[in-house]
Amino acid sequence: MTFAGIGAVTAYGWGRDALWQGLLSGKSAASVQSGYGPGRDEDAWVSLVPDGGDNAVSTSRYGRAMHESAREAITDALARGWQPGRTVGLLHAIVLGDVVNWRDFYLVDHGHRRPRDYMRLIPSTPISVLMQEFGFHGPAMNVSAACSSANVALITAQLWLDAGIADDVVCIATDMSGTPDMVDHFVRLGASVADTEPLDACRPFQQGSRGFCIGEASVAFVLSRSVQRPYAAVLGGGMTNDAYHVVSIDPTHEQIFECTRRALDNAGVTADDVRYFNAHGTGTRQCDEAERDLLTNMFGDQPHVYALKPLAGHCQGAAAGVEVAAAALGYDRGIVPAAPIVAPAHPRLLDGPQPFEGGITAKLSLGMGGNNSVVVLGPVD
């Protein structure tokens, strides 16, 4: 399975090139936003998607971002020689859905809307609108596995292709939940930091890291076995669950190791083959400990390491989508768009954008509820 096309809407702007240039700049996509904090009277650093998109598609920024990232990916794939098969499926990775629209439904409209406007809230509606525009008739569904949702959607797409359920799959991950309500709760959980610029707070694999900055994004991929100029290949993947806690990582890290072993076996590669480790990289203590353990005891501290949440923010259900898109673009453009090092760091952590050396990339993504996932990427043979 290969990446035939890529589309992205992030806090850097609308379009994959805006994401790429933003990452290469080494500057965070976050900006200071007012109306945050417990009393909604504080400023906060948040990576919000700017307004934009096609108003004819949706009155919701969420719906427009989802649709536009998919449009860009499909247009890109066609330009790179993709010819849609008989059955094109669609997978949409989400966690909370259109939280702004639901908030307005309750607090502004007090639960009263015209049926047409109410239907915009339903998670199947953005999928239906997109399938109608392109005349796709394959299976279409939402996938949710907390912050590992985008990785899980990619693994599900591979299963669909392997089983012959679809000839091609459009895979999208959308999360536009950088609202004061959501940010405040993640700050209170001790995971997110909003009171300072992200590179001061989010330092995965570096000293002084306090957590992550919330971000928003919608990222789309066209996945196919047949395209003239693919970006990279998805070689395999694996999923496990800690079955330990709704928030915390199992301190034994046993299931993260098992997930990684399953992914490498599925991809037909070994730990020694992995050249790059695209980290979950939230910058929290638990995540840093788990990923350092994995790097040392499974990979022998050999792969180059990079994490993108200091730049793009933690985009929740779309986080892995942003990070996989960056990796796939890196295969195509010969650059690893790593974040800059700002404090004493793990010896294999890359310091800013670096020439891409080729080889295998392991992409780890962890989600609340114990959801572990690894996707293995590689060059196209």
Side-chain angles (χ1 to χ4, degrees), residues 179-193:
T179 65
D181 317 60
M182 300 302 168
V183 172
D184 182 47
H185 280 87
F186 275 101
V187 170
R188 290 165 61 192
L189 281 168
S192 182
V193 179

Side-chain angles (χ1 to χ4, degrees), residues 100-113:
V100 173
N101 210 357
W102 276 107
R103 181 192 62 194
D104 290 348
F105 173 67
Y106 285 111
L107 300 183
V108 177
D109 302 331
H110 304 291
H112 301 290
R113 280 191 178 185

